[in-house]
Amino acid sequence: MDRAVSVLEILARHGEAGVTDIADELGVHKSTAFRLVGVLENRGLVAQAKDRGKYYLGAGVLRLAGAAAVRLDISQEGAPVCRELADELGETVNIAVLDDDAAVNIMQARGSAAVTAQNWLGRRTPLHATSSGKVLLAHLPDTLREGLLARPLPRFTDRTVTGTVPLRAELKSVVEQGWAVAVEELEVGLAAVSAPVRAHDGNVIGALSASGPVYRLTPERLAELAIRTAAAGVDLSRRMGYGF
């Protein structure tokens, strides 16, 4: 793995290089270098200029860089939105993005009423048992969503929805109403509401959530939070280029 990464770094440094050049820089036999670039080429991370026989970085690297850039952009643009919403609601506000089969929180702001709230930053949470996860799950392409729903869905509390039929119905409602709610589905005493964040092309790239204890987040209060969080999600989506 270390050598494969070194190959990518060599190509990034030189623009292009032949197998002999790569082998010399790595200090390995030419056949080893050939196998390394072969694997990287199969994954689209390097490509070969057939006329010169040299290799250069492939489109696969752009795909990976694009995914990282989205996370950086949403963090940067989301910071003021999170802060403003947390100040207004007095609750903890997070931005989560999809990380394989989980939602990972990449941005957090705490409101005045949330002094003792948990730190969710960097934490991976299950898609089916959190409001952010439901938003991300609901907006996935059908095949990806069904693949995730086909996996065992662990129960965290008595209120965790683990049946695929009721969960599918709930995810459909999430898309229609523009937000998701989770009340004591991940942890007893915790309630949250979340809304989608879209990229310039309309694809959902994140979920903006507000969370707090159930004694504060009553059904009526959650309804208010849902409307305000959805509006903040629209604001952040505009900052990400959606709607222009």
Side-chain angles (χ1 to χ4, degrees):
M1 187 181 290
D2 182 66
R3 285 174 174 173
V5 172
S6 295
V7 171
L8 296 176
E9 290 175 339
I10 290 167
L11 296 180
R13 195 161 58 246
H14 297 298
E16 59 178 24
V19 173
T20 304
D21 300 325
I22 293 170
D24 288 346
E25 283 213 40
L26 290 177
V28 298
H29 193 274
K30 188 176 175 180
S31 62
T32 302
F34 187 77
R35 282 196 301 273
L36 287 169
V37 293
V39 171
L40 293 170
E41 186 176 21
N42 288 338
R43 301 305 296 267
L45 296 174
V46 305
Q48 186 179 27
K50 303 296 178 186
D51 54 334
R52 299 187 304 280
K54 294 194 172 185
Y55 290 87
Y56 56 90
L57 293 177
V61 172
L62 295 176
R63 184 183 69 249
L64 297 177
V70 163
R71 290 196 178 194
L72 291 174
D73 288 347
I74 198 173
S75 294
Q76 183 176 349
E77 296 297 335
V81 176
C82 274
R83 183 68 271 153
E84 183 181 342
L85 189 60
D87 288 344
E88 179 187 338
L89 302 179
E91 306 295 349
T92 298
V93 174
N94 281 280
I95 295 175
V97 296
L98 189 68
D99 185 21
D100 188 22
D101 61 347
V104 62
N105 293 289
I106 61 169
M107 172 65 57
Q108 177 174 279
R110 297 186 186 188
S112 55
V115 228
T116 58
Q118 294 186 47
N119 182 11
W120 295 95
L121 201 56
R123 184 170 165 184
R124 296 176 85 252
T125 55
L127 297 176
H128 69 291
T130 59
S131 61
S132 293
K134 288 177 189 177
V135 165
L136 297 170
L137 196 53
H139 290 89
L140 279 177
D142 293 348
T143 48
L144 288 179
R145 183 173 60 254
E146 288 305 312
L148 290 169
L149 292 178
R151 301 179 184 184
L153 302 176
R155 181 176 294 283
F156 299 97
T157 73
D158 290 343
R159 302 192 63 166
T160 307
V161 181
T162 57
T164 53
V165 173
L167 190 53
R168 281 193 191 96
E170 187 176 353
L171 295 177
K172 186 180 176 187
S173 297
V174 169
V175 175
E176 291 170 353
Q177 67 191 11
W179 63 75
V181 173
V183 179
E184 298 190 294
E185 294 181 39
L186 179 63
E187 293 181 8
V188 173
L190 177 70
V193 63
S194 184
V197 177
R198 299 179 184 274
H200 64 93
D201 56 4
N203 287 325
V204 172
I205 54 171
L208 180 68
S209 69
S211 61
V214 289
Y215 69 81
R216 238 181 6 241
L217 271 54
T218 60
E220 296 75 20
R221 175 77 172 137
L222 271 175
E224 294 171 13
L225 260 62
I227 294 169
R228 186 60 193 93
T229 302
V234 170
D235 179 25
L236 181 50
S237 297
R238 285 201 189 100
R239 288 170 176 259
M240 297 300 294
Y242 179 62
F244 290 99

